Amino acid sequence: MVRRTGLGVNLWPHTLRARLFVILLAGLTIAHAMSFAVLFSERYIAARSVMFNTLETDIATSIAILDRLPAAERASWLDRLARGSYRFVLGPGIPGDPVLTRADAEVADKVRAAIGAQYPIEVESVPGGIRRLQAHLRLSDGEPLTIDVTPRGVMPVADWLPFVLVAQLSLLVLCSWLAVRQATRPLADLARAADTLDPNSKTPRLSETGPREVAYAATAFNAMRDRIAQYLEERVQILAAISHDLQTPITRMKLRAEMADDSIERDKLIRDLEEVERLVKEGVAYARSVHGKDEKASRIDLASFVQSLAYDYQDTGKAVTVGELGDGTIVTRPHALRRILTNLVDNALKFGGSAEIELQRRADGTVLIKVSDRGPGIPEDQLDAVLQPFFRLEQSRNRDTGGTGLGLAIAQQLAIVIGASLTLRNRDGGGLAAELAIGAA
């Protein structure tokens, strides 16, 4: 991945895993290259030393042998006296350039030192594609002799060495990848656990095994998760306790207000107390929704369940209709599911005047229950916010318009409890559709 900046393209990887991999691989590759550079340097020095020692010891002996042999027998000895870096040629050789480079001059000095002053020589550089020198001299009988020298920088490399290099580099890549993966996997697990943190769900805890630092971080994260769950539990308990304790004084206040003389102020007070009572009841219902997981799951017929719910509304004169009904059964918590659908239908009736319930079963077995209305809908940027407790689009205190802000929050909370997902979306042509997706058991 590359990042474009104002100064150009930044090729530095974005992820920690990629950065560690690049750093580790680069370091190992450089160290590997330095090792081979030292190896080849040592081979060059060794080859150079062997070549000079050969020149100093063997050339003088070889020339002495050729000088003592009869002229007719010398040609048969040339191959016997040849070595890897030089050979002997009877004759004047090839004309060359007497101006030598520094490296060639060093070789020429070694040849002169090996032969000595008995045989004056001239060393020339032979033109061509390879480095080549020729030393010209005359034997005692005047016959010209040429020493054809081909200096070697390093010893020949074995044919299998490139394959070894490729295998070593592949091993470096594999080891680097494994090391980086081993180092960053706990961090990725921790980030994934933090991203999906939900104290109310039964997600598995982080494994507290591995290196000491990893185990300590996992233990700290699990402890933090337990504390958050405890804080949420205490918050809900406080809400439930306050809501429950408020019911008694509210009831006494309503009784006293109803016993008072008829007046406009008395009617206003009774309405206010009724609104407070509804709010308290919704608070208790929300607190209880967190504990909906205590209900045992059972198998129900969905079509009959939805129809029964719709008939209950129709018996009270509410405009609730049933659309498409899929068949089949599902294992779920029926009381929690009924409370979810009741809240969704109540919301549709309040803002749309009517509600339609549909039931579909997808190919993957997921059940989709849709409650639709033709009300004003919800602004797109607030579709998620309305599922939070005490959030109201209508900021009025009027129960008929603003509500308590807990109906959809209770439905959302209970959906999580039964392992479902609640999604709100605006309908084409106006209205809202609340979709409850329940996974196959």
Side-chain angles (χ1 to χ4, degrees):
M1 181 181 294
V2 298
R3 177 186 299 171
R4 295 187 177 275
T5 63
L7 300 178
V9 178
N10 182 10
L11 299 178
W12 187 240
H14 290 185
T15 64
L16 178 62
R17 174 179 295 185
R19 292 184 180 184
L20 289 178
F21 179 76
V22 169
I23 293 173
L24 184 59
L25 181 61
L28 292 176
T29 303
I30 292 174
H32 192 60
M34 291 176 63
S35 298
F36 273 94
V38 171
L39 174 63
F40 277 102
S41 176
E42 189 274 336
R43 288 173 64 90
Y44 172 78
I45 295 174
R48 186 168 170 269
S49 176
V50 169
M51 183 184 68
F52 286 161
N53 290 337
T54 300
L55 290 175
E56 291 178 352
T57 58
D58 291 354
I59 287 182
T61 303
S62 298
I63 292 177
I65 293 174
L66 292 174
D67 197 18
R68 288 174 172 76
L69 287 173
E73 298 180 9
R74 291 171 180 169
S76 62
W77 279 79
L78 295 181
D79 292 337
R80 302 179 189 179
L81 299 176
R83 295 294 183 269
S85 58
Y86 68 88
R87 64 186 181 90
F88 295 94
V89 179
L90 295 175
I94 303 174
D97 186 357
V99 180
L100 304 178
T101 63
R102 182 177 178 180
D104 290 344
E106 184 178 9
V107 176
D109 292 339
K110 291 293 183 181
V111 173
R112 290 190 182 98
I115 296 176
Q118 181 180 357
Y119 303 98
I121 64 172
E122 295 180 358
V123 181
E124 298 176 341
S125 174
V126 179
I130 61 174
R131 182 185 176 193
R132 185 179 175 190
L133 302 175
Q134 285 192 348
H136 307 286
L137 57 93
R138 289 185 178 275
L139 299 177
S140 299
D141 59 0
E143 184 178 5
L145 178 66
T146 300
I147 307 173
D148 194 332
V149 182
T150 307
R152 294 186 177 181
V154 294
M155 296 181 182
V157 177
D159 295 337
W160 47 263
L161 186 58
F163 299 99
V164 173
L165 290 177
V166 172
Q168 288 180 330
L169 287 177
S170 301
L171 183 61
L172 285 178
V173 172
L174 178 62
C175 292
S176 301
W177 181 80
L178 290 176
V180 171
R181 183 174 180 270
Q182 186 70 19
T184 58
R185 184 171 57 183
L187 184 60
D189 294 340
L190 180 62
R192 188 161 45 250
D195 188 52
T196 59
L197 177 62
D198 185 0
N200 294 322
S201 63
K202 292 294 184 180
T203 54
R205 297 167 65 85
L206 275 180
S207 174
E208 298 179 4
T209 60
R212 181 180 302 173
E213 297 81 1
V214 174
Y216 178 76
T219 302
F221 181 85
N222 289 332
M224 179 192 69
R225 171 181 169 173
D226 293 339
R227 288 195 299 270
I228 293 175
Q230 182 180 358
Y231 295 153
L232 292 177
E233 181 73 17
E234 291 176 353
R235 185 192 69 174
V236 171
Q237 290 178 354
I238 292 173
L239 174 61
I242 293 175
S243 300
H244 182 271
D245 292 343
L246 283 175
Q247 289 182 354
T248 300
I250 291 173
T251 301
R252 289 200 302 264
M253 294 172 65
K254 285 181 62 179
L255 289 174
R256 291 170 182 171
E258 291 173 354
M259 294 174 60
D261 297 335
D262 291 339
S263 65
I264 297 178
E265 297 300 327
R266 169 184 172 276
D267 295 338
K268 291 181 179 180
L269 178 59
I270 291 176
R271 286 196 298 269
D272 289 342
L273 289 174
E274 289 175 349
E275 183 178 350
V276 173
E277 185 177 26
R278 282 192 292 266
L279 179 59
V280 170
K281 289 180 179 179
E282 291 291 343
V284 174
Y286 178 74
R288 289 176 178 172
S289 69
V290 179
H291 302 283
K293 62 188 72 176
D294 296 336
E295 180 189 356
K296 293 184 179 180
S298 60
R299 184 173 295 274
I300 62 173
D301 182 86
L302 284 173
S304 300
F305 185 86
V306 171
Q307 286 177 336
S308 174
L309 178 66
Y311 291 156
D312 290 342
Y313 277 99
Q314 292 171 3
D315 290 343
T316 60
K318 302 294 180 63
V320 177
T321 58
V322 177
E324 177 185 355
L325 285 181
D327 55 357
T329 61
I330 191 171
V331 176
T332 187
R333 297 179 173 92
H335 293 295
L337 178 59
R338 188 177 187 86
R339 183 57 190 268
I340 294 172
L341 297 180
T342 299
N343 284 17
L344 296 179
V345 171
D346 288 344
N347 187 76
L349 291 174
K350 180 170 62 176
F351 293 102
S354 64
E356 181 183 10
I357 308 176
E358 295 179 84
L359 176 62
Q360 301 173 358
R361 184 180 289 273
R362 295 173 176 170
D364 59 357
T366 301
V367 173
L368 184 66
I369 304 177
K370 185 187 302 183
V371 179
S372 307
D373 64 64
R374 283 300 179 183
I378 298 175
E380 293 291 337
D381 59 343
Q382 296 184 352
L383 285 173
D384 293 331
V386 294
L387 298 176
Q388 302 302 317
F390 302 106
F391 182 89
R392 296 187 297 181
L393 290 173
E394 168 63 53
Q395 300 301 323
S396 168
R397 294 182 180 272
N398 188 337
R399 166 65 178 171
D400 294 332
T401 56
T404 62
L406 285 174
L408 291 177
I410 293 173
Q412 167 73 355
Q413 183 64 49
L414 288 174
I416 295 175
V417 169
I418 67 174
S421 62
L422 178 61
T423 305
L424 303 180
R425 63 175 181 82
N426 289 308
R427 302 177 64 187
D428 295 335
L432 183 71
E435 298 178 349
L436 182 69
I438 307 175

